[in-house]
Amino acid sequence: MAESSSERADAAGPPPRIRVTAPRPGAAGASIGPLPQHGTGAPTSDIAGVYARSLIRSQLRLAIVFAVGFGIATAFFVLAITLLPQLDTTFVYGVPASWLLLGAGVYPLTITVAGLYVRAASRNEARYRSLTEAE
């Protein structure tokens, strides 16, 4: 009787198992510290780290200022609608003026604030790049 190929593979047995482990501490192949990261934009000196932290702080400050300003401007829209009840009785093309103020007034405000933020953030980054290139 002829043996099938699967029976022959079982007779030979499975390949031996190999245990893979990390190198021992102090072994020749073990690394001593973190590998340098070339090309990732990581700061290479103390002054570059100071510039990077300064950029991050200025971007955070800028974002907070614009977020608070946007919140205050939006609150003024809500206050205007609340304190001026005649906006609900005034109609423009069949739509209450209060709806137009919220629906059509907030979007241009949002776009304007976003555009100004992007412009200011780009200016901060350009200043950072000019400082790091001069290094």
Side-chain angles (χ1 to χ4, degrees):
M1 208 174 180
E3 289 182 25
S4 68
S5 62
S6 63
E7 289 175 359
R8 276 183 267 156
D10 289 340
R17 291 188 177 211
I18 299 172
R19 179 178 290 175
V20 178
T21 61
R24 293 182 314 258
S31 69
I32 296 171
L35 296 175
Q37 299 178 358
H38 298 289
T40 60
T44 56
S45 68
D46 289 339
I47 193 71
V50 170
Y51 287 154
R53 284 189 299 275
S54 173
L55 173 66
I56 291 169
R57 276 194 308 268
S58 70
Q59 296 291 58
L60 176 63
R61 191 177 320 116
L62 187 68
I64 289 171
V65 165
F66 273 90
V68 168
F70 178 73
I72 289 171
T74 305
F76 278 130
F77 276 108
V78 174
L79 279 174
I81 291 170
T82 307
L83 298 176
L84 300 171
Q86 62 267 28
L87 288 175
D88 287 331
T89 59
T90 305
F91 290 88
V92 179
Y93 296 112
V95 179
S98 60
W99 287 20
L100 286 176
L101 185 62
L102 281 178
V106 174
Y107 290 109
L109 172 70
T110 304
I111 292 169
T112 302
V113 168
L116 290 173
Y117 173 76
V118 167
R119 195 168 137 200
S122 296
R123 201 173 332 134
N124 279 349
E125 290 174 9
R127 279 192 217 126
Y128 168 75
R129 267 188 250 113
S130 70
L131 288 173
T132 55
E133 288 172 1
E135 209 176 87

